[in-house]
Amino acid sequence: MDKLTAQKRHDNMAAIRSKDTKPELIVRRGLWKRGFRYRLNHKRLPGHPDLVLRKYRTCIFVNGCFWHGHYVDIQSTIENSACCKIPKTNHEFWVSKIKRNKERDREEQRLLAEMGWHCITVWECELKPQKREETLDSIAFTLNHIWMQDHGIKAKNNKPYPHKEDRELQAMVAEDKVD
Ligand SMILES: [Zn+2]
């Protein structure tokens, strides 16, 4: 095998790998596997949410930690974070760019909330292999919680992870065919 071919194959493999581990795909697959159905990149909704779950009246945004300034404070007290390392070169440019992105995200979510949509933001760093399943379980839990609240079913507690009673309620929700 010549060098070019080997390089090309490497590039192809890398492309496939990066496509497979794309954060949106992880969320899509994880939620699909858990029985949730959704639409992608809804063009008519503000911010073109990555996933839209009509039954749950919920939009999901899967955010890259750098571009969306994870742990960055919009009021500028925190310009940098472990998740969003602003380059030293053109520092001011990047700080204002990330801030604008965050302001836009906030505005889009405000508009969606006005239209009656719930928004869930999932961060790239929460989808690392060690945290992935926990994150996906937590999204599933939140979606079921939203559904129950919208349908006037009182959950017994507000804990972030399912308790026994909540699992029973979730099972009831899962059996319910109402859309
Ligand atoms: Zn992050």
Side-chain angles (χ1 to χ4, degrees):
M1 188 180 299
D2 66 41
K3 201 179 167 208
L4 190 69
T5 310
Q7 181 63 47
K8 199 163 184 215
R9 197 175 53 151
H10 173 269
D11 291 348
N12 289 343
M13 295 283 285
I16 289 162
R17 208 161 38 236
S18 76
K19 205 178 165 198
D20 274 353
T21 55
K22 251 181 96 187
E24 292 105 282
L25 281 184
I26 295 168
V27 175
R28 276 194 229 165
R29 268 200 223 108
L31 290 183
W32 186 273
K33 209 173 74 184
R34 285 165 176 78
F36 295 94
R37 298 298 175 254
Y38 43 78
R39 287 185 59 181
L40 304 174
N41 308 106
H42 207 300
K43 293 284 182 280
R44 286 212 207 117
L45 291 176
H48 304 161
D50 295 302
L51 284 78
V52 175
L53 293 93
R54 188 170 286 281
K55 176 173 170 182
Y56 298 83
R57 205 82 194 136
T58 296
C59 296
I60 299 184
F61 293 90
V62 185
N63 282 356
C65 291
F66 177 73
W67 291 106
H68 296 268
H70 196 196
Y71 296 126
V72 168
D73 190 315
I74 212 160
Q75 298 333 352
S76 95
T77 39
I78 307 166
E79 292 186 340
N80 244 328
S81 74
C83 272
C84 176
K85 293 191 182 79
I86 305 279
K88 291 224 164 50
T89 319
N90 295 326
H91 188 84
E92 290 313 309
F93 166 81
W94 286 109
V95 168
S96 66
K97 173 143 192 76
I98 301 294
K99 273 193 201 162
R100 272 201 311 277
N101 287 349
K102 278 188 86 73
E103 269 158 13
R104 200 186 50 214
D105 290 347
R106 196 162 67 168
E107 177 60 12
E108 285 162 358
Q109 298 209 1
R110 195 186 61 77
L111 290 171
L112 284 164
E114 263 180 23
M115 295 163 73
W117 289 91
H118 303 278
C119 291
I120 297 176
T121 299
V122 189
W123 295 94
E124 195 182 0
C125 64
E126 298 168 331
L127 297 167
K128 285 179 189 159
Q130 327 83 277
K131 290 190 75 179
R132 191 173 295 169
E133 292 304 309
E134 188 187 330
T135 299
L136 291 164
D137 284 345
S138 155
I139 301 168
F141 178 78
T142 303
L143 286 168
N144 285 328
H145 203 84
I146 286 169
W147 192 91
M148 289 187 285
Q149 279 185 334
D150 281 359
H151 291 77
I153 303 168
K154 268 215 162 55
K156 294 222 171 78
N157 60 59
N158 292 313
K159 299 260 165 60
Y161 294 108
H163 277 219
K164 192 172 176 288
E165 298 89 337
D166 287 330
R167 279 204 301 274
E168 282 164 7
L169 279 172
Q170 281 187 29
M172 283 165 54
V173 170
E175 280 163 24
D176 200 324
K177 297 284 181 276
V178 178
D179 196 330

